[in-house]
Amino acid sequence: MNVKAQIMDADKMRRALVRIAHEILERNKGTENLVLVGIRRRGVPLAKRLQRIIEEIEGVKLPLGVLDITLYRDDLTTLSPHPVIHSTEIPFNITGKKVVLVDDVLFTGRTVRAALDALMDLGRPRSIQLAVLIDRGHRELPIRADYVGKNVPTSLKEEIAVQVKEIDGVDQVLICAVPERTAGP
Amino acid sequence: MVLKSKHLLGLKDLTRQEIELILDTAGPMKEIIQRDIKKVPTLRGKLVVTLFYEPSTRTRTSFELAAKYMGADTVSIATSTSSVAKGESLRDTAQTLAAMGADAVIIRHSAAGSPVLLARYIKASVINGGDGMHEHPTQALLDMFTIREKMGRIEGLKVVILGDILHSRVARSNIWGLTKMGAEVRVVGPPTLIPEGIENLGVKVFYRVEEALRGADVVNVLRIQRERQKKGLFPSLREYALLYQLTPERLRLAKPGALVLHPGPMNRGIEISPAVADGLQSAITEQVTNGVAVRMALLYLLIGGGR
Amino acid sequence: MMKILLRGGRVIDPSQDLDKVADVLVSGDRIAAIGENLEKDRETKVLDVGGCIVAPGFIDMHVHLREPGYEQKETIATGTRAAAAGGFTAVACMPNTQPVADNAAVIAYIRERARAVGVVRVYPIGALSKGSKGEELAEIYDLVEAGAVAISDDGNPVMNAEVMRRALEYTRLFNIPVISHCEDLNLTAGGVMHEGFVSTILGLRGIPAASEQVMVARDVILAGLTGGRLHLAHLSSAGSLHILKEAKSKGVKVTAEVTPHHLCLTDEAVIGYDTTTKVNPPLRSEEDRQALEEALRDGLLDVLATDHAPHTEEEKDVEYDIAPFGISGLETAIPLVVTRLVEKGRLSWQRLIEAWSCRPASILNIPGGSLKEGSIADITVIAPDWEKEVDVDTFYSLGKNSPFQGLKLKGWPLVTIVAGRLVMENGRVLY
């Protein structure tokens, strides 16, 4: 990985998540009917952290689900080998709920599009909101985030790497140069 | 991780890692089946053809559901085997299917090796849905998926395959799969229904069901075909049942909580007693659900991505 | 008079215990001389065959020419060209045509066609029973008068032991052999390949070796009972050889043949379901194959024969279960046996020539099988060092059903001379 700069360290990441948690509570006027759904993989630990922060603030533990969007991707036929499928674990009915979808980076919007389709197949939520740690721009679909940890203008020759303790052993966000051959979305 | 071949012709050709990949992928698929909306768009725009030369509502429906749940379109072609000799040749049928734009063809045929032949003619993925006495790989995969789900593992388990081993493609595929996964496989049946040289596949051969069941973790009971009796391979169904029926008494010889499987459809009261078929140790209905999940996994792995 | 001088070849003729480098002079339809530096005149065609084997013409006593009735598979014209290309100067053709050669008219028809369009000698074999149904004896006297050199229901076994007994008895009148296709259909039970570990893995119905052996045993017992002449076609299993050995040691008048494919392939060739490997009797185990090789070497097996069984591509390009049995063998037979056995020192040239020329001639009581001066000029020349790949598209036979496609073989036939006429040179049939 050709690291160009660190955008966030552990402390900044924590503060961004605390801010997002407050924004979620404020906008939804509390925790009623609110559920969190993390998109595999790094959306999941971020959703768990939001769950903990909200519990600390409100004393309520929000239901938390895990969404695997592989089967909904629109680029499967261009990928080889196949992405490994993991299970979707949403142990509650999302119908009538206010779902906050959590992911690490918002980029083209295609992952979110797939996640929306996947969620719709699971029930009819009252609303779906989107929380991301980083919004790096370059949308290819009319999708925007409701809660953003940090807006990072990037070029297409760059890549954002969100790292979390649970998976990567460290909390930080890096901006890296993409090797030439895989440049582009 | 990816399957090496674009076809699934038999478990003989798969590695342990490939079998594990299929079983691992089938887990999330099972979750989809349990949803209210049992459909994902993964295979949208793909055409899956079931080409059945033998009647089998069960396997055909399972494949069609799997394809539909994955978002594919399905076409089902049923031809009776009796018309094969005088009807359209497999080669011509293959060309027709190719022209229709089939992405995957599931073939069920009474002649062993037909899927191999079909794979030679067609660019689509060919999945063996059971060919003669050769293999029935998806049945064995769903059996193994069920074993792993219920018992937590396959490695080291003692698995008994009970019945007509000679004519059974289910037995052959299970033997290939289970031995690769590290299970100890025992086959048991009348000597007239044990094929030549089967022990060379690394299985233990028994003629007495009581001996085979001792200490077993899993019992897979095979369907006995009435035609075999007419061919003189055993004297009567009554005598077969007396010697080989899986009864509660016999099942007690296996380990407590041993799992009972049957590929279906069952002849209750012949190869399996109703008490065992409907008992707590039976996973026979669960096998049906798992069959769809395993076939979804296969379709995803074979035609879901780019190649 | 047409003369041909074969110069400088290694002349091997077991009928006169000859094996030396010499010239062979053919004059008209006869062998004129064998010797060193034979003189030629201006009409003599000289063929330099240095480094090659010059042998009495090879006789394939077991082929299916398919005419009349199955001309889409083979005709007398194409089958005899395949024979010439394969180094054979004569063939004996089986009667399972349509109609079956169970009457003088069909035998006469075959001989007439062979005279008109054939390029090698054709000896028809008559049916043993009417319609080859194994129930009533055919009119054997009539068949023999019309030119049949043996009788057989080949393709089918004679399941009724009584019928076989009477055939062996009755043919003593004519001193012709009864050729038996040894197979117990009840034991075969719809099988399509050798019963063993490979059939178990492939899930194909097996034909046990016992299916052949019980009939070999029955037939040698009946030959012993009747004093008739029994010839066992295409033996495939070690167990049959034990029975054959015992019968021969007791003086039963029995001879037996083996095919190149049973000498060169085993049931493992069936893996992959290539229908060109589907043949009856089936390709058996390696132990069987080794036993056949040994029995051919020591003379227990008298004869090599192809059991040339051509089929169309459409008939063979189907599921293994429904494909017809048979291998198109004439055009690969000699190089196969040379490459796999002779070149490896497992069979002598003398035995090869004895089994494919001298013995068939004596068993069928037909001319040939010798290069003695004055005998008919049927000659096969083999080039032991000529190596090329089998290519079924170059077959003269209409049957492209060969499991040896693409195989590199040595020892191809170079020249075939029938009755003093050069019919094949360098693999090309001249008529």
Side-chain angles (χ1 to χ4, degrees):
Chain A
M1 200 159 35
N2 189 358
V3 178
K4 288 169 103 177
Q6 189 192 54
I7 308 167
M8 275 189 182
D9 58 14
D11 199 45
K12 280 186 183 150
M13 194 187 281
R14 187 186 55 76
R15 268 185 273 135
L17 287 170
V18 168
R19 181 170 50 74
I20 289 173
H22 279 287
E23 285 173 16
I24 289 171
L25 290 171
E26 193 173 319
R27 171 141 164 207
N28 293 287
K29 302 185 175 68
T31 57
E32 198 184 345
N33 275 333
L34 204 58
V35 299
L36 297 169
V37 171
I39 300 175
R40 280 190 197 274
R41 288 177 75 194
R42 286 178 180 74
V44 178
L46 295 178
K48 281 185 180 154
R49 291 187 200 184
L50 285 173
Q51 183 192 39
R52 200 165 53 240
I53 295 165
I54 290 171
E55 192 180 359
E56 280 163 14
I57 301 168
E58 291 284 300
V60 175
K61 191 171 183 178
L62 293 183
L64 179 88
V66 174
L67 195 62
D68 186 278
I69 54 104
T70 314
L71 294 171
Y72 291 84
R73 288 173 68 153
D74 60 5
D75 59 351
L76 273 178
T77 51
T78 65
L79 298 177
S80 189
H82 293 82
V84 173
I85 309 270
H86 296 281
S87 55
T88 287
E89 294 155 22
I90 301 187
F92 46 83
N93 190 346
I94 62 168
T95 300
K97 295 286 192 302
K98 291 185 269 185
V99 177
V100 178
L101 206 50
V102 184
D103 204 0
D104 55 350
V105 179
L106 178 58
F107 181 25
T108 61
R110 287 178 191 271
T111 300
V112 176
R113 196 281 309 160
L116 290 173
D117 281 352
L119 274 180
M120 296 300 188
D121 280 357
L122 294 171
R124 188 177 185 281
R126 184 159 142 214
S127 67
I128 301 175
Q129 301 159 24
L130 176 63
V132 296
L133 188 63
I134 304 291
D135 182 347
R136 61 168 290 193
H138 304 289
R139 215 76 76 238
E140 292 170 6
L141 297 172
I143 280 169
R144 61 164 183 80
D146 299 274
Y147 314 103
V148 178
K150 186 178 175 65
N151 284 295
V152 182
T154 57
S155 95
L156 287 173
K157 290 183 177 164
E158 291 167 334
E159 210 169 59
I160 298 290
V162 171
Q163 299 186 329
V164 292
K165 267 204 186 103
E166 295 87 331
I167 295 169
D168 312 290
V170 58
D171 280 344
Q172 63 176 350
V173 179
L174 304 173
I175 187 160
C176 313
V178 180
E180 270 309 310
R181 57 190 167 81
T182 57
Chain B
M1 183 68 205
V2 61
L3 299 182
K4 279 195 298 285
S5 169
K6 70 172 177 179
H7 308 297
L8 177 70
L9 304 176
L11 293 194
K12 177 174 180 277
D13 313 319
L14 291 194
T15 63
R16 178 178 179 148
Q17 287 70 33
E18 288 177 302
I19 292 171
E20 278 171 350
L21 174 66
I22 296 167
L23 300 184
D24 289 346
T25 308
M29 298 301 179
K30 191 170 178 183
E31 181 265 320
I32 294 167
I33 301 172
Q34 286 154 350
R35 295 180 187 173
D36 284 343
I37 299 174
K38 302 174 191 49
K39 203 175 192 74
V40 290
T42 319
L43 299 184
R44 210 173 43 166
K46 303 271 185 183
L47 178 61
V48 174
V49 178
T50 57
L51 177 61
F52 273 52
Y53 289 92
E54 273 186 338
S56 164
T57 318
R58 203 170 260 265
T59 306
R60 187 171 51 76
T61 311
S62 181
F63 269 111
E64 281 178 19
L65 280 180
K68 289 187 160 115
Y69 291 171
M70 294 299 284
D73 292 312
T74 61
V75 168
S76 123
I77 299 172
T79 317
S80 75
T81 308
S82 56
S83 70
V84 168
K86 51 192 169 188
E88 189 181 53
S89 73
L90 189 57
R91 177 179 208 152
D92 289 340
T93 306
Q95 278 164 2
T96 309
L97 296 179
M100 287 174 181
D103 295 287
V105 181
I106 292 113
I107 177 170
R108 157 72 64 100
H109 202 302
S110 62
S114 318
V116 179
L117 194 64
L118 182 63
R120 231 177 267 155
Y121 299 142
I122 201 167
K123 265 165 61 186
S125 283
V126 174
I127 301 177
N128 182 355
D131 62 328
M133 310 187 297
H134 176 223
E135 284 222 45
H136 191 352
T138 58
Q139 177 68 44
L141 287 166
L142 79 89
D143 291 344
M144 288 192 283
F145 181 83
T146 310
I147 293 170
R148 207 171 71 162
E149 192 178 54
K150 296 283 177 184
M151 311 299 278
R153 68 194 164 104
I154 296 173
E155 173 116 47
L157 294 185
K158 294 181 174 64
V159 182
V160 175
I161 304 174
L162 163 61
D164 179 0
I165 312 297
L166 175 63
H167 298 95
S168 178
R169 51 193 172 213
V170 175
R172 282 176 181 74
S173 286
N174 262 290
I175 290 168
W176 287 116
L178 288 166
T179 51
K180 284 176 193 198
M181 297 296 286
E184 179 193 317
V185 182
R186 304 167 174 184
V187 298
V188 58
T192 47
L193 295 178
I194 302 287
E196 174 95 10
I198 191 83
E199 61 283 350
N200 294 343
L201 291 177
V203 305
K204 289 187 189 166
V205 177
F206 294 83
Y207 300 127
R208 290 281 178 185
V209 68
E210 291 80 6
E211 288 168 24
L213 286 174
R214 208 148 282 146
D217 298 281
V218 180
V219 191
N220 201 340
V221 186
L222 302 174
R223 176 179 166 78
I224 190 85
Q225 307 272 357
R226 282 157 202 273
E227 304 92 87
R228 309 298 176 217
Q229 186 265 322
K230 293 200 190 88
K231 281 196 175 165
L233 290 163
F234 54 91
S236 68
L237 286 173
R238 180 179 157 274
E239 188 153 312
Y240 182 85
L242 282 173
L243 278 164
Y244 293 102
Q245 184 181 103
L246 188 64
T247 58
E249 297 72 39
R250 286 188 174 132
L251 184 55
R252 273 197 283 281
L253 297 169
K255 279 198 191 138
L259 188 67
V260 176
L261 304 175
H262 190 297
M266 284 183 281
N267 296 302
R268 284 169 183 270
I270 296 177
E271 71 260 8
I272 190 165
S273 80
V276 172
D278 303 328
L280 289 173
Q281 289 167 258
S282 161
I284 296 170
T285 41
E286 189 107 17
Q287 281 176 276
V288 178
T289 314
N290 292 346
V292 179
V294 162
R295 290 170 179 126
M296 288 168 77
L298 258 181
L299 287 172
Y300 168 70
L301 291 168
L302 292 177
I303 60 169
R307 270 191 184 270
Chain C
M1 210 184 315
M2 177 73 182
K3 286 183 182 173
I4 301 172
L5 181 65
L6 297 169
R7 185 177 273 166
R10 178 179 163 195
V11 183
I12 305 178
D13 179 8
S15 79
Q16 48 181 323
D17 228 349
L18 181 73
D19 182 354
K20 65 173 184 188
V21 174
D23 298 347
V24 176
L25 182 64
V26 173
S27 180
D29 66 350
R30 299 282 147 178
I31 306 279
I34 298 181
E36 276 158 52
N37 302 318
L38 292 181
E39 289 189 11
K40 61 173 180 108
D41 56 32
R42 288 170 62 190
E43 286 131 60
T44 307
K45 181 178 172 66
V46 179
L47 297 172
D48 182 5
V49 293
C52 294
I53 306 292
V54 179
F58 276 44
I59 299 167
D60 192 348
M61 67 177 288
H62 191 148
V63 304
H64 298 269
L65 292 182
R66 304 297 191 202
E67 188 178 350
Y70 302 110
E71 288 84 355
Q72 74 279 15
K73 296 175 193 265
E74 192 80 290
T75 63
I76 289 167
T78 57
T80 55
R81 276 166 184 76
F88 296 95
T89 56
V91 294
C93 58
M94 285 297 174
N96 59 340
T97 47
Q98 179 58 253
V100 173
D102 64 353
N103 60 76
V106 179
I107 299 291
Y109 172 81
I110 292 168
R111 294 188 64 192
E112 183 45 45
R113 289 297 291 165
R115 247 193 308 276
V117 300
V119 294
V120 304
R121 297 174 198 266
V122 175
Y123 296 102
I125 294 166
L128 183 153
S129 63
K130 295 196 175 96
S132 275
K133 291 196 175 106
E135 291 159 6
E136 285 173 68
L137 289 186
E139 292 182 331
I140 298 170
Y141 168 65
D142 229 19
L143 292 170
V144 172
E145 282 294 292
V149 294
I151 56 164
S152 177
D153 276 354
D154 182 70
N156 298 301
V158 178
M159 284 296 289
N160 185 327
E162 165 78 6
V163 173
M164 186 52 121
R165 173 202 170 147
R166 297 309 174 199
L168 284 161
E169 252 166 9
Y170 191 67
T171 49
R172 294 185 61 184
L173 251 174
F174 318 109
N175 191 30
I176 57 166
V178 174
I179 302 178
S180 176
H181 166 121
C182 291
E183 179 185 8
D184 183 316
L185 290 177
N186 294 317
L187 283 172
T188 295
V192 297
M193 71 170 292
H194 174 61
E195 180 178 287
F197 180 58
V198 179
S199 69
T200 292
I201 290 182
L202 294 179
L204 291 170
R205 282 181 303 250
I207 303 173
S211 167
E212 172 178 280
Q213 291 155 12
V214 297
M215 289 304 246
V216 169
R218 184 199 75 174
D219 287 352
V220 298
I221 288 166
L222 294 175
L225 172 72
T226 57
R229 281 178 56 198
L230 173 66
H231 177 76
L232 302 169
H234 48 52
L235 288 188
S236 66
S237 72
S240 299
L241 300 174
H242 300 311
I243 302 164
L244 174 66
K245 192 169 192 174
E246 159 108 10
K248 280 192 170 182
S249 74
K250 284 184 180 159
V252 174
K253 289 184 203 154
V254 56
T255 53
E257 74 190 26
V258 63
T259 71
H261 49 267
H262 287 111
L263 286 169
C264 297
L265 294 176
T266 66
D267 56 351
E268 303 222 345
V270 183
I271 296 171
Y273 301 96
D274 181 350
T275 56
T276 62
T277 64
K278 184 172 173 182
V279 62
N280 191 11
L283 303 170
R284 300 220 181 256
S285 70
E286 175 61 18
E287 298 84 81
D288 290 314
R289 195 203 63 73
Q290 284 177 15
L292 292 172
E293 189 186 308
E294 192 189 326
L296 176 63
R297 197 158 44 231
D298 68 20
L300 176 61
L301 286 169
D302 304 80
V303 167
L304 273 156
T306 61
D307 191 6
H308 175 73
H311 292 291
T312 66
E313 214 173 327
E314 290 73 27
E315 289 166 311
K316 275 286 196 181
D317 195 5
V318 293
E319 295 85 334
Y320 205 89
D321 277 351
I322 60 178
F325 290 101
I327 289 174
S328 177
L330 278 170
E331 287 166 85
T332 54
I334 290 175
L336 259 178
V337 178
V338 170
T339 306
R340 294 293 179 84
L341 301 183
V342 179
E343 281 282 310
K344 297 203 164 114
R346 303 199 317 229
L347 188 71
S348 65
W349 283 105
Q350 284 75 11
R351 262 306 291 149
L352 176 84
I353 293 161
E354 194 175 52
W356 237 335
S357 179
C358 314
R359 288 296 281 144
S362 63
I363 289 169
L364 296 177
N365 196 22
I366 55 176
S370 176
L371 293 177
K372 284 180 188 155
E373 282 173 26
S375 55
I376 60 156
D378 284 6
I379 301 172
T380 297
V381 180
I382 299 167
D385 295 328
W386 185 11
E387 187 171 37
K388 65 172 177 176
E389 260 181 34
V390 175
D391 179 1
V392 296
D393 291 334
T394 66
F395 277 11
Y396 285 88
S397 171
L398 296 180
K400 314 297 181 191
N401 47 307
S402 170
F404 304 108
Q405 168 68 359
L407 203 65
K408 199 167 253 187
L409 296 176
K410 271 175 96 172
W412 293 80
L414 186 73
V415 170
T416 308
I417 296 170
V418 179
R421 190 165 79 143
L422 183 64
V423 297
M424 184 275 281
E425 192 178 357
N426 292 323
R428 294 202 36 218
V429 177
L430 304 174
Y431 294 94

